[in-house]
Amino acid sequence: MKRFTLIMLCALCTLALAAQGKKEIQFSDVMQGTFSARGISGMTPIPGDGEHFTQMTRDGQVVKYSYKTGEQVEVLFDVKTARDCPFERFDSYEFSPDGNYLLIATESQSIYRRSFTAVYYLYSLRRNTAGQIRNAVQRLSDGGPQQSPVFSPDGTMVAFVRDNNIFLVKLLYNNSESQVTTDGKRNEIINGIPDWVYEEEFSFNRALEFSSDSQMLAYIKFDESGVKQYEFPLFAGLAPHNADLEKYPGSYVYKYPKTGEANSKVSVHTFDIQSRVTRKMEVPINEDSYIPRIRFTKNADQLAIMTLNRQQNQFDLYMCNPRSTNCRLILRDETDTYIKEDILDNIQFFTDGFTFMSERNGHNHLYWYNLNGELQKQITDGNYEITNFLGYAPTEGAFYFQSNEGSPLRKAIYKVDKKGKKTCLTPREGTNSAQFSSDMKYFVNRYSNLSTPTIITVHDNNGKELRTLVDNKELVQRLAEYNLPTKEFFTFTTQRGDELNGWIMRPANFNPSQKYPVLMTQYSGPGSQEVLDSFGGVDWETFMAAQGFVVACVDGRGTGGRGTDFEKCTYMQLGVKEAQDQVAAAQYLGSLPYVDSSKIGIWGWSFGGYMTLMAMSEGTPVFKAGVAVAPVTDWNYYDTVYGERFMRTPQQNFDGYKASSCMERADKLSGRLLIVHGMADDNVHFQNTAEYAEKLVQVGKQFEMQVYTNRNHSIFGGNTRNHLYTRLTEFFNRELK
């Protein structure tokens, strides 16, 4: 009888949809990108121009456009017409600082998250007397693929890294190539590029800089010989297939420092290009300190070296002379907890000073210092966060930035002038991000909100909208053809008195008198935000809502956008308060009249996978099922920079590591669990899942596991993503319906 009733209800729903002329969303729609928003990728401002930007086309061109009109001005490069061009496609490009050359990357091979090698080519944009571009393509180097190339400021040289050594190509001397360092060796010495943990956690892929007068090179040397190595197996596999491993599997070995273990020893060196003298900078830091950035200022005699102590609660900025090697401390920022790594690229140097971001007053704000490290003024202040510094216009003395003033759920673009007058340049409520022209006269704004796909517009620096580049009207029309669930915000207060923000999607044919299962999705990592007024697209969660789930997401304590007290209260016991808040969110959702409180599931990826396990083992059996994808299961297994930033070392914080471990609370696991991991995950090692699975076995907890061979932290390639989400769909349908 129940089955008959269900069949009748499904039939009625189908008829209702047909009557409305609406389509039902299919799993294939999500996986094939039926609802993908159109965007503009790779917009590159032309250096020293200010009026134009460029884009790479699919058919191998670099096209120049006007900011003011949005119209195409000319084709700067075309693989079909460029003289001596040996390639038919390319992957990326960049301009020399003077705008006279393009450096074009081909045959790119990924290494880790941000690093890759490529075969680079130079293309001169200089014009002859007739105004025509001297369109010859030249190979940058014949010695093998290159990594992280950088132009000299005068555009006459390119430095790059190959096999952990630095090389220099002089364009004015027939592209003559010389070797700067010779001690580079895999898994021992690295010059000019970061080691694995620096790349992953300090978010950069080049540690090599020219001085402003193009006479010196500065670089960071990483001695990782004392770092313990990690090894994972590689199989022949498919998509791609490695025939060499068909009978005997291989392995990948690299240096990965885990919490409490030895890091690379780092030092900063300069190379005098004319005299070929190499010097070591005398930076007065401890052996285990970090050097996450170096930058030459506009003054060629000032090399800025940024350091963090290992505990990452003290940031120091040194000004060093690249020839005398003397270093002087000009700025120090300290905290009782940790300093966020996102301040690093918001430190920008100008002829009359530099910008600095700090949370010293409880919120992330912008400060202006002179080049001697003397505070000139605090640029922003208030109970909101500066989320990105976008640039400074010296001629008008104006600072441009993104902030969440008004609501932690929204972001807008602002400027502050010399007199302290602040102007919002993007009045539409939602999420705005901006990319400015090289002279700060124009910016390209990307806007969306919860229900509006991305709109890309061009504005002048007073906020006046000049042109719409992308409106995504076709996507809006396509969405209107489907009977889709809608996303709404909600706020609730936990029993502990914490007010938390969330969003919820109810099934498209929602019936308030019906009881629905709930699927909670979250990430929950420090400083992250999943609850934002931006268009999340039609994703797998949308599909699940259309299949009859109430889908919800809550940002608990430890997430960003709400000041240091809210974000850093999880310090030293990562995952404990976050898990309590996900349990509280499930209890709140279970109290809603249309929710079946006995059928609540949770899932997440990476930190979200860790949080799934922590929440299901919190001690309150509120979750019937959960999926943890690529989870950390114990912070002893994770890297030094990230783990110690929030937890200090295991030696300093034994009790905190124990409280934050999924392993320690495995016996409290409640609900059906599916755990998913890629065996070639260089970030969150498969070791996490292997050891946790063994612990579950020994404490008598049943679970399911899905392993993907040769897949990294993103778990993709061939049919892999389709298989993964099919697995998730079947699991939650079985366990929660």
Side-chain angles (χ1 to χ4, degrees):
M1 189 62 174
K2 288 182 179 178
R3 184 182 178 190
F4 175 77
T5 303
L6 182 61
I7 292 172
M8 287 300 295
L9 284 172
C10 290
L12 288 171
C13 288
T14 303
L15 289 171
L17 287 171
Q20 297 169 11
K22 299 279 190 177
K23 302 176 185 177
E24 290 187 81
I25 181 175
Q26 304 297 318
F27 180 79
S28 58
D29 291 326
V30 174
M31 302 310 295
Q32 295 171 8
T34 300
F35 304 103
S36 296
R38 192 166 69 90
I40 299 179
S41 61
M43 294 184 68
T44 303
I46 298 179
D49 179 304
E51 296 293 328
H52 302 94
F53 64 90
T54 59
Q55 278 188 281
M56 182 176 74
T57 67
R58 291 182 178 179
D59 53 354
Q61 294 180 330
V62 175
V63 182
K64 179 179 177 180
Y65 295 90
S66 165
Y67 276 111
K68 185 176 293 185
T69 68
E71 298 297 325
Q72 177 176 323
V73 176
E74 64 176 314
V75 176
L76 294 181
F77 175 76
D78 190 334
V79 294
K80 296 182 178 66
T81 60
R83 184 162 53 88
D84 300 329
C85 184
F87 50 87
E88 296 180 354
R89 60 175 299 277
F90 59 99
D91 306 315
S92 61
Y93 69 95
E94 62 180 283
F95 285 94
S96 61
D98 57 10
N100 287 330
Y101 287 94
L102 288 178
L103 187 60
I104 301 170
T106 69
E107 303 176 46
S108 298
Q109 296 293 320
S110 176
I111 304 174
Y112 300 121
R113 187 188 298 267
R114 297 171 180 85
S115 55
F116 61 94
T117 62
V119 176
Y120 285 92
Y121 291 85
L122 285 161
Y123 180 72
S124 174
L125 296 174
R126 295 177 184 270
R127 299 177 184 273
N128 59 25
T129 54
Q132 297 173 324
I133 291 176
R134 300 173 184 174
N135 52 349
V137 176
Q138 295 178 302
R139 200 180 183 101
L140 176 64
S141 171
D142 292 323
Q146 305 93 49
Q147 191 172 343
S148 300
V150 57
F151 274 104
S152 60
D154 64 5
T156 65
M157 292 174 283
V158 177
F160 64 85
V161 175
R162 178 194 293 123
D163 298 328
N164 289 8
N165 280 313
I166 299 169
F167 295 79
L168 183 66
V169 173
K170 295 182 178 180
L171 309 186
L172 299 182
Y173 293 86
N174 198 30
N175 294 358
S176 64
E177 181 177 317
S178 60
Q179 189 164 345
V180 175
T181 66
T182 58
D183 59 345
K185 186 177 181 181
R186 175 170 167 75
N187 286 338
E188 290 191 18
I189 300 294
I190 309 172
N191 295 291
I193 53 175
D195 67 3
W196 184 93
V197 74
Y198 270 71
E199 176 183 333
E200 176 67 25
E201 305 300 359
F202 290 129
S203 306
F204 70 117
N205 66 2
R206 191 184 76 231
L208 175 64
E209 299 285 328
F210 277 96
S211 61
S212 59
D213 62 2
S214 302
Q215 294 183 18
M216 304 283 288
L217 272 173
Y219 61 94
I220 305 175
K221 180 189 294 288
F222 296 81
D223 180 351
E224 61 176 357
S225 57
V227 178
K228 292 181 180 179
Q229 65 187 29
Y230 186 84
E231 180 176 358
F232 53 78
L234 294 174
F235 302 91
L238 297 170
H241 174 68
N242 190 335
D244 294 339
L245 304 178
E246 283 181 349
K247 280 199 171 183
Y248 294 93
S251 65
Y252 184 81
V253 181
Y254 68 118
K255 296 301 183 82
Y256 184 107
K258 301 204 173 192
T259 50
E261 301 290 337
N263 276 314
S264 291
K265 296 176 182 178
V266 291
S267 54
V268 178
H269 303 258
T270 59
F271 175 75
D272 189 310
I273 295 171
Q274 184 172 358
S275 68
R276 298 193 63 81
V277 173
T278 299
R279 302 175 176 92
K280 179 182 177 181
M281 298 297 99
E282 299 301 324
V283 190
I285 58 174
N286 295 328
E287 190 178 69
D288 62 353
S289 292
Y290 296 107
I291 304 178
R293 292 289 190 280
I294 57 172
R295 290 283 186 271
F296 269 105
T297 71
K298 303 298 181 182
N299 183 342
D301 292 329
Q302 286 185 319
L303 171 63
I305 299 179
M306 307 176 200
T307 74
L308 283 165
N309 62 340
R310 178 147 181 175
Q311 196 168 304
Q312 298 177 70
N313 64 354
Q314 178 181 301
F315 170 87
D316 287 340
L317 176 61
Y318 292 91
M319 283 296 183
C320 303
N321 186 298
R323 288 186 169 85
S324 73
T325 74
N326 291 330
C327 297
R328 180 170 61 93
L329 177 66
I330 68 166
L331 184 150
R332 171 170 289 174
D333 201 28
E334 295 180 279
T335 177
D336 292 334
T337 54
Y338 57 89
I339 290 172
K340 294 161 66 174
E341 63 90 16
D342 60 6
I343 70 165
L344 297 170
D345 289 323
N346 286 297
I347 300 174
Q348 296 185 23
F349 296 94
F350 303 90
T351 55
D352 53 344
F354 65 91
T355 54
F356 183 70
M357 294 219 313
S358 173
E359 296 179 302
R360 62 185 61 156
N361 69 354
H363 289 83
N364 206 35
H365 281 293
L366 195 61
Y367 298 81
W368 177 251
Y369 287 81
N370 65 24
L371 291 175
N372 291 319
E374 298 165 339
L375 178 63
Q376 302 300 291
K377 63 179 175 179
Q378 182 173 341
I379 300 167
T380 63
D381 192 20
N383 294 325
Y384 58 90
E385 303 285 309
I386 303 302
T387 48
N388 196 12
F389 173 59
L390 299 170
Y392 170 62
T395 54
E396 58 176 335
F399 300 88
Y400 295 84
F401 56 89
Q402 178 195 59
S403 87
N404 66 3
E405 183 174 354
S407 170
L409 306 184
R410 300 180 177 91
K411 296 178 183 179
I413 310 303
Y414 292 84
K415 80 169 177 178
V416 172
D417 64 18
K418 290 179 180 179
K419 298 179 180 179
K421 180 184 176 183
K422 183 167 59 179
T423 305
C424 179
L425 305 180
T426 52
R428 285 186 290 194
E429 283 195 345
T431 297
N432 296 271
S433 63
Q435 180 185 19
F436 277 81
S437 61
S438 57
D439 61 0
M440 306 300 293
K441 288 183 179 179
Y442 303 98
F443 69 92
V444 175
N445 187 61
R446 287 170 170 80
Y447 164 81
S448 74
N449 65 21
L450 213 57
S451 58
T452 306
T454 302
I455 298 172
I456 304 175
T457 49
V458 179
H459 303 249
D460 66 21
N461 60 8
N462 290 313
K464 180 181 178 181
E465 186 174 315
L466 303 176
R467 186 177 182 86
T468 299
L469 300 179
V470 173
D471 58 21
N472 270 306
K473 285 184 178 178
E474 291 182 359
L475 176 58
V476 172
Q477 293 171 355
R478 192 178 310 126
L479 292 172
E481 298 172 0
Y482 287 79
N483 195 37
L484 295 173
T486 56
K487 190 180 289 185
E488 300 173 7
F489 290 122
F490 69 93
T491 300
F492 76 99
T493 302
T494 69
Q495 292 182 349
R496 295 177 177 85
D498 298 299
E499 186 175 88
L500 304 180
N501 297 320
W503 57 253
I504 190 169
M505 276 192 293
R506 301 176 185 86
N509 299 307
F510 176 69
N511 182 349
S513 63
Q514 186 177 330
K515 294 283 188 179
Y516 294 92
V518 170
L519 176 59
M520 290 173 55
T521 178
Q522 45 70 51
Y523 180 72
S524 302
S528 66
Q529 276 188 274
E530 297 294 298
V531 183
L532 285 168
D533 194 6
S534 63
F535 187 70
V538 180
D539 53 16
W540 178 73
E541 281 88 354
T542 310
F543 169 74
M544 294 300 282
Q547 295 300 301
F549 288 86
V550 169
V551 181
C553 178
V554 170
D555 279 343
R557 285 171 292 175
T559 57
R562 298 178 60 178
T564 57
D565 288 346
F566 187 84
E567 180 174 337
K568 296 184 177 181
C569 69
T570 62
Y571 186 58
M572 299 285 277
Q573 282 202 345
L574 208 58
V576 176
K577 292 178 180 177
E578 300 96 311
Q580 292 171 352
D581 287 348
Q582 292 305 311
V583 168
Q587 290 172 326
Y588 167 75
L589 293 166
S591 71
L592 299 176
Y594 51 85
V595 165
D596 185 341
S597 61
S598 68
K599 296 181 178 179
I600 298 178
I602 185 171
W603 93 285
W605 198 308
S606 195
F607 197 102
Y610 163 70
M611 187 46 48
T612 294
L613 300 178
M614 289 291 284
M616 293 179 71
S617 310
E618 187 267 350
T620 307
V622 68
F623 297 106
K624 187 182 181 186
V627 174
V629 181
V632 173
T633 60
D634 191 297
W635 292 106
N636 280 285
Y637 300 145
Y638 204 56
D639 73 61
T640 50
V641 176
Y642 188 94
E644 293 173 14
R645 181 183 298 157
F646 309 115
M647 295 285 288
R648 298 192 187 178
T649 66
Q651 297 89 335
Q652 294 171 312
N653 185 21
F654 177 83
D655 291 339
Y657 273 75
K658 186 175 181 180
S660 300
S661 173
C662 301
M663 307 284 288
E664 293 294 327
R665 53 172 70 185
D667 60 333
K668 295 181 181 178
L669 179 69
S670 176
R672 297 293 299 173
L673 172 66
L674 169 61
I675 189 166
V676 181
H677 220 120
M679 291 189 70
D681 192 332
D682 63 279
N683 183 358
V684 181
H685 297 147
F686 181 68
Q687 173 190 24
N688 285 270
T689 285
E691 297 290 358
Y692 182 68
E694 171 66 6
K695 186 62 178 285
L696 292 179
V697 169
Q698 297 309 321
V699 298
K701 295 287 184 178
Q702 294 295 323
F703 63 97
E704 298 177 39
M705 185 186 293
Q706 179 67 56
V707 175
Y708 291 99
T709 56
N710 294 2
R711 303 304 172 193
N712 65 16
H713 195 56
S714 297
I715 312 182
F716 72 97
N719 190 51
T720 305
R721 274 293 177 91
N722 185 73
H723 186 278
L724 189 155
Y725 279 105
T726 299
R727 183 84 160 92
L728 267 59
T729 303
E730 292 175 349
F731 176 81
F732 281 122
N733 278 333
R734 185 186 73 217
E735 298 298 335
L736 297 181
K737 282 191 173 181

